[in-house]
Amino acid sequence: MRRIHRHGIHSLRAKLTAANVGLLALGIVVATAVSLMGMRHYLLDQVDAELTKMRDSLGSSQLTLRQIDSLSVLSVVSDRLMPQNADTRGTDARPAPDSIFTAVDGRGTALAVFDVRPTDAQRGLADAVSDPLALSADADPHDVTVHGDTYRATATRLPDGTYILLATSTEALHKGIAKALKLDLAVGTLLLALLACLTLFSVRRRMRPLEDMVETSSAIAEGDLTRRVPSSHHPTQEVEQLRLALNSMLHQVETAYRTREHSTAQLRRFVADASHELRTPLSAIRGYLQLYDQGMLVEQEERRRAWDRMNGEVDRMGRLVDELLTLARLDQRPELRLRGVDVSRLMRDSAQDLRAQQPGRPVTVEAEGAVLVRADESGLRQVLGNLVANVRTHTSVEVPVRLGVERVDGVVRLSVEDKGPGLGPEDAARVFDRFFRAGGGAGSGLGLAIVQGVVQAHGGEVSVRTAPGEGLAVTVTLPARPKARVV
């Protein structure tokens, strides 16, 4: 069942969204500020260029105010510089003009031109410019305020000491910049909202694999070791690498857990089987000793038979302990005494031993010539001895046996095959388990376990091929030059 994840302001999703929105907001603010400052600077440069051009034209004419007045030249200038709606009769109720042209004396008092008294705008400009001399000396126009409106103003000095003040309104410029600012803020706010929605959607989709990892980890913590992180439809390279690494780790964890459970169960079964195997001869010995202690073994023949039985149980218990010690040493990965061993000779010796013990059994040996491997000779003799003993114990004497050796593709294969009753699939899967005896037959059940331990210590493999009614074939595969396994 899928869990519902709650995402607060401290979640990675919220932090990524906030970071993206914050970066975009910063970018919008910087871009707006730079663009508006550039636009203002460009427009002011145009205004200043017009003012400077008119100032230079008046200054270079070398005309006095009286000459300008007498020649009526100023009418042309007035038509160009003064607004068309300027009231020459001094009417005060009119909007602020875009351009103001006025003449002032050295003290900054507005003068009449064409016998027309100065307007309010002209007087306001004269009042705003406190020092006409400094303004005319400066090459760049200055910002002034006339009746609350902003202007760019400059001045030029005529030869008679009169100053001509020129001013152009910048209210339209500032209003345009303000409108542009509002538009940029509105568009920027819309972009921020859109980015926040897109980021939330994108981060949610990109974070889905991480949420799957959390769910998988939680399920495994609750005991479901088979869960794995599913693959997303459009994974990023880093997330896909993390998913593969996590699934690999989970597989290793599951394998280690299963191996531990199997080893624990195998250890419990081993201890129980060993206790059972050792208890049987001890019980028999204890029983005969009690009979002897109670004086119930009166006849000499009875005492001799009891003595033989106790010796037999002691021998059986000794063999069992020896096999357990052998398995314990193999579990500790002992150092092998490697040298060149002719496995064909060992196979022929094992066949001779089987013929001596069971003369009536048909034995076929396919081990001609010499087949050398680097191995521990005593270990290989024990392997072949256990395989032959397994055939001798679990099959009747008339069952044929084939022993063979061959070298194939750089490895040596030893095979011991009988034509006995064979094993079922369940028994074949447990044939190398310790103390396992198919059908509860004879033997300690440790022979094939020792075979597997010795072969694995040589770096080889042992396999079984069997089926009911088709006999049992055990194949040992050894490398030609195994690496010794050191403690």
Side-chain angles (χ1 to χ4, degrees), residues 298-332:
V298 180
E299 300 293 334
Q300 181 68 24
E301 182 65 21
E302 293 179 348
R303 288 196 297 269
R304 187 183 61 79
R305 187 169 57 253
W307 179 259
D308 292 339
R309 289 287 295 133
M310 285 189 291
N311 282 333
E313 295 298 332
V314 169
D315 292 340
R316 176 186 172 189
M317 188 166 55
R319 288 193 301 271
L320 182 61
V321 171
D322 290 339
E323 291 177 343
L324 291 175
L325 290 175
T326 300
L327 287 174
R329 284 194 296 268
L330 292 174
D331 289 340
Q332 295 175 359

Side-chain angles (χ1 to χ4, degrees), residues 75-321:
S75 62
V76 179
V77 179
S78 177
D79 289 339
R80 295 182 59 187
L81 299 180
M82 296 185 66
Q84 297 297 322
N85 60 350
D87 189 354
T88 59
R89 296 173 296 179
T91 304
D92 294 334
R94 64 181 183 275
D98 292 336
S99 298
I100 303 175
F101 174 87
T102 186
V104 298
D105 56 16
R107 296 186 301 272
T109 303
L111 303 176
V113 181
F114 303 131
D115 295 329
V116 177
R117 66 183 180 87
T119 64
D120 288 341
Q122 291 172 329
R123 288 195 298 271
L125 177 59
D127 294 337
V129 179
S130 59
D131 189 359
L133 177 61
L135 184 61
S136 63
D138 196 342
D140 297 325
H142 287 194
D143 288 324
V144 295
T145 303
V146 179
H147 299 314
D149 297 326
T150 57
Y151 286 79
R152 293 287 286 179
T154 186
T156 184
R157 187 176 184 276
L158 299 180
D160 60 357
T162 304
Y163 292 92
I164 301 298
L165 301 182
L166 304 172
T168 299
S169 175
T170 57
E171 282 297 315
L173 182 149
H174 292 148
K175 289 180 181 178
I177 292 178
K179 290 181 180 180
L181 177 61
K182 292 179 181 178
L183 180 62
D184 288 346
L185 290 178
V187 174
T189 302
L190 180 62
L191 288 177
L192 289 177
L194 181 61
L195 176 66
C197 296
L198 292 178
T199 301
L200 283 174
F201 176 77
S202 177
V203 170
R204 180 179 182 182
R205 188 179 66 175
R206 298 299 181 185
M207 294 287 290
R208 181 66 259 178
L210 299 182
E211 294 177 357
D212 291 338
M213 294 178 190
V214 174
E215 293 179 1
T216 301
S217 301
S218 301
I220 290 177
E222 293 174 359
D224 186 6
L225 298 180
T226 61
R227 283 287 295 272
R228 295 294 182 270
V229 181
S231 177
S232 58
H233 297 291
H234 304 286
T236 59
Q237 181 179 3
E238 293 78 2
V239 174
E240 183 65 13
Q241 290 176 349
L242 178 60
R243 184 188 72 84
L244 294 176
L246 184 59
N247 282 343
S248 177
M249 182 192 70
L250 294 178
H251 177 72
Q252 295 293 334
V253 170
E254 181 185 9
T255 302
Y257 182 78
R258 301 299 184 195
T259 302
R260 179 183 176 184
E261 283 190 333
H262 177 73
S263 299
T264 302
Q266 192 176 34
L267 178 62
R268 292 195 187 100
R269 187 168 60 249
F270 174 77
V271 172
D273 292 339
S275 300
H276 176 74
E277 292 295 333
L278 290 174
R279 182 175 58 185
T280 300
L282 287 175
S283 299
I285 294 174
R286 183 184 297 111
Y288 284 114
L289 289 177
Q290 288 176 352
L291 290 176
Y292 180 82
D293 183 60
Q294 294 174 4
M296 299 180 65
L297 300 177
V298 180
E299 300 293 334
Q300 181 68 24
E301 182 65 21
E302 293 179 348
R303 288 196 297 269
R304 187 183 61 79
R305 187 169 57 253
W307 179 259
D308 292 339
R309 289 287 295 133
M310 285 189 291
N311 282 333
E313 295 298 332
V314 169
D315 292 340
R316 176 186 172 189
M317 188 166 55
R319 288 193 301 271
L320 182 61
V321 171

